[in-house]
Structures are given as C-alpha cells and as structure tokens.
Amino acid sequence: MKPILENLVEMTGHRDHLRLEVSVLSTLQKLPTVKEVRALEVFQVDGALHVRPRTWVEQGQLVSTQAHVAQSDARRQPLKDFPALQQCIANRAATALHSPQKGVYTLWLPVWMHEDVHTCLEITQSRPFSAHKLDVIKSVFHVYQNYQSLLDYSERDALTGLLNRKTFDEQFSRQVSMPSAGATELTSPGDASLAAEEPLQQWLAVVDIDHFKQVNDRFGHLYGDEVLILIANILRSSFRGQDRIFRFGGEEFVVLLRSTTLSTAHKIFNRFRLAVKEYHFPQVGQVTVSVGFASTSRGAPVEILGQADQALYHAKEHGRDQVLFYDELVEQGHLHTKVAHDDVELF
C-alpha cells in the first residue's frame, strides 16, 4: 500500500494532463501481475470512433506521442474492433473486461470529461482480475480522474468552457514547436492539387465580436453572455479536435489552427465568419466577427500574437466582418515591419 500512496502523491503533483497520464500508468504498472498498461486516445475520423495508443511502455519506459497526430497515426484502429470497449462507451459504463485468450486479461477504464470520452486507460495482466485488485485499480483511477477534472477546470473559461488565457500562455510555445508533417488537412477533393503546392503550416487567429459593447448596452449582459456562449459553440463546430480554441476575455477569442495551407486557412476562417453571420442570435439578431491571423513559423509567441492582433485591428478599422492575413497586409503596404539586427520588430 505504501508504494501506491507514494505514487499517488507524485501523481497529484503534476500540472499537465499528459504527465499526469504517464504518472497514473506508472502507478498501475507496478501492481502485481500487470503485464502492460496503455492510454488509448479516442477520436473521430469521418464520423466513426477510432482508438490509438497515446502512452505505452517501450523498452521498460513509458513513452507518449502528441495528440495532434491522432488522425494520421498508422496504429489507429476503429473502435468497432474492440466490441467490449465499444459497448462500454455506448452504455457509458465505468469499466469493460475482455479476455481474448488464456493468460491475457484486459481491463478498460474510459475517462469521461464533459459528457465525452477522449481517453481510455488499458490494463492487461496474466490472470483474471480479482475483486480486491479491481477495487485498488478503481481507487487509483478515481483519484486520477478527479485530478484530471480539477486540471481541466483550472484551464477553462467559466462562461464558455473554452480554454482560458492562462492555458494559452502555457501551451502556445509547445503547440507551435510541434511538427506539422503527417497531420490531417482540412481540404475538399477539389483543393487537393492546390494543397500539394503549398506548405502545411500552423496559424494563430485572433477573433473579435464586432460592436459587442452595443450588444451589452442595448440588450443587457445576460444576452451578451448568451452571444459569447453561442459564438464559442460555433467555434467548436468550425474547427478540428487537434486545433485549440481559447477565450482571452471580453469578446476576444484565439484559435491555433494546426497543419494546413494558407489558402485552406483562409477558407476555414471565412467559413467560421460566415457561420456566425448567418446564425440568428436570440433577441440580438445578426452578429458579425472580425478575424486577423498570422503564421506561427517565425517569431516569438508574443510577436506572432502581435501580428495577428494587428491584422485584426486593421480588419475592424476597415469595415469589420472580414478575415485578414498579416503577411498579405504587409505585402500590400497596409502594415509595416522594421528589420534590425536580423530581428523583426513591430511598430
């Protein structure tokens, strides 16, 4: 019992979801008769649920891969290949047991967050799980899941449920340093030839609701909050799971769009803009947004954010309800940069 308690203390000392995942698997791996532990990521591809190992044991060490490669991971499998786990998730059950052959007994523990399951812990051992063993595993798992929920709560905006500014500051450097190769591109068949000619990049967009102060002044903060919540919902439906959406506060949002071309980034951001424009907001009616975006391929995080912000303010000062790209504004002479000592400085 003492080693388990020591591992629980170490586990709850983490402030990062992936490190916490590695820590709980390390705790479970040390239990007697356990042969293998993994964390499976659960995600959708073309409307069907798939799973793929995100954290596993390799040469005696726990290793992880990042979430953004899920859809292109060659090890992904349809969830239907795991009938017991599929039924468990469909029934919102707490656990699933499966024994494909003698000497191999697998326990699955789905991690439920916000009515969805995105992760499942998998524990395999050489003998059937005793009632006592299941109680120990479930107790460790409940501590892990509760702590995951606390971390998630601290990372999210209370009103919209989107990631908050604090989380953006912590994640941005890590997000932009991830490789782009191999990720799934948001293109239609007609875009294939164009996409092949353009490099995949990552993009940061700043989104601002046009004339939001007038909404609050005219209809009150209750309807203003409803507009923010509905905009957040449109943002969620407009981007992929591997993209990241943040609320910066007030009426401003930030989107990190992963691994796509410039032409497709334009289409994606404009598709979101049109979705907002065409939506009928209760009592308020029509609402529009302005978007400024920049590539994350060069410059420090604060500089990239500043570039997207400049593009946003140019959009708001020149008609609103539009999407503008920072580099194009510079090329057209609308914005300027100053080069000094091989660094780009904004002014």
Side-chain angles (χ1 to χ4, degrees):
M1 183 62 70
K2 185 177 179 181
I4 293 178
L5 292 175
E6 290 173 350
N7 275 276
L8 288 176
V9 171
E10 188 268 338
M11 183 174 76
T12 54
H14 292 298
R15 298 295 183 269
D16 176 87
H17 287 279
L18 195 56
R19 290 180 181 177
L20 180 60
E21 181 175 283
V22 170
S23 186
V24 70
L25 290 177
S26 177
T27 301
L28 296 170
Q29 185 185 19
K30 294 173 183 176
L31 295 176
T33 72
V34 170
K35 294 174 59 177
E36 185 181 9
V37 292
R38 298 193 303 175
L40 304 178
E41 185 173 359
V42 183
F43 56 96
Q44 283 198 2
V45 178
D46 298 328
L49 286 176
H50 286 65
V51 297
R52 62 112 189 188
R54 185 172 62 199
T55 302
W56 66 96
V57 178
E58 191 172 287
Q59 297 180 345
Q61 299 292 323
L62 284 161
V63 295
S64 299
T65 186
Q66 296 293 342
H68 75 281
V69 301
Q71 297 191 7
S72 59
D73 195 328
R75 300 167 302 165
R76 80 181 193 200
Q77 294 177 262
L79 181 62
K80 65 181 180 181
D81 290 352
F82 304 84
L85 178 57
Q86 183 181 39
Q87 185 176 5
C88 172
I89 292 175
N91 296 337
R92 299 186 59 82
T95 62
L97 285 166
H98 179 57
S99 179
Q101 62 188 60
K102 188 176 180 180
V104 179
Y105 301 89
T106 299
L107 170 68
W108 286 301
L109 298 158
V111 182
W112 291 93
M113 300 281 283
H114 307 292
E115 305 299 317
D116 291 312
V117 56
H118 300 289
T119 307
C120 179
L121 300 189
E122 179 188 85
I123 304 148
T124 302
Q125 62 178 35
S126 55
R127 62 179 66 175
F129 289 87
S130 66
H132 174 69
K133 186 72 164 289
L134 286 173
D135 286 342
V136 171
I137 290 173
K138 289 177 183 178
S139 296
V140 172
F141 175 74
H142 288 151
V143 172
Y144 161 74
Q145 189 165 30
N146 289 342
Y147 201 68
Q148 281 276 35
S149 297
L150 286 173
L151 281 182
D152 187 72
Y153 179 79
S154 71
E155 292 175 349
R156 294 191 179 273
D157 170 60
L159 178 66
T160 63
L162 298 177
L163 296 169
N164 57 27
R165 174 64 188 267
K166 171 180 170 289
T167 309
F168 172 84
D169 293 338
E170 293 172 351
Q171 291 190 4
F172 184 40
S173 295
R174 185 171 62 217
Q175 286 289 117
V176 299
S177 66
M178 290 178 184
S180 294
T184 301
E185 161 77 296
L186 274 180
T187 55
S188 62
D191 297 327
S193 59
L194 179 60
E197 299 172 1
E198 293 186 68
L200 298 179
Q201 298 185 57
Q202 299 178 79
W203 312 93
L204 183 147
V206 182
V207 178
D208 192 89
I209 303 174
D210 297 329
H211 302 299
F212 185 69
K213 185 177 183 300
Q214 294 180 16
V215 173
N216 278 330
D217 291 346
R218 182 178 177 185
F219 301 100
H221 288 276
L222 188 63
Y223 281 103
D225 286 351
E226 184 176 36
V227 168
L228 291 170
I229 293 169
L230 292 171
I231 292 285
N233 291 341
I234 298 172
L235 279 163
R236 287 190 189 92
S237 64
S238 299
F239 298 93
R240 302 161 295 182
Q242 68 218 54
D243 303 319
R244 291 292 179 265
I245 308 167
F246 306 82
R247 184 188 175 200
F248 260 37
E251 67 271 32
E252 194 168 76
F253 303 84
V254 167
V255 178
L256 285 175
L257 182 65
R258 293 197 54 81
S259 303
T260 194
T261 63
L262 174 58
S263 59
T264 306
H266 266 295
K267 292 178 182 178
I268 294 168
F269 291 132
N270 271 296
R271 183 179 62 194
F272 158 69
R273 178 187 63 82
L274 288 172
V276 173
K277 187 174 183 177
E278 293 169 358
Y279 189 90
H280 179 78
F281 292 81
Q283 186 69 26
V284 175
Q286 187 186 63
V287 171
T288 63
V289 294
S290 297
V291 182
F293 74 102
S295 169
T296 66
S297 61
R298 10 175 240 285
V302 66
E303 183 181 349
I304 296 165
L305 185 59
Q307 291 174 352
D309 221 29
Q310 283 189 333
L312 168 69
Y313 278 97
H314 190 86
K316 293 186 75 68
E317 291 170 359
H318 295 81
R320 295 183 169 84
D321 185 27
Q322 57 185 317
V323 176
L324 295 181
F325 175 43
Y326 172 80
D327 285 4
E328 290 174 352
L329 292 173
V330 172
E331 291 172 3
Q332 295 164 5
H334 299 303
L335 297 176
H336 304 280
T337 61
K338 180 176 68 177
V339 180
H341 305 297
D342 298 324
D343 291 327
V344 178
E345 300 177 3
L346 305 180
F347 69 91

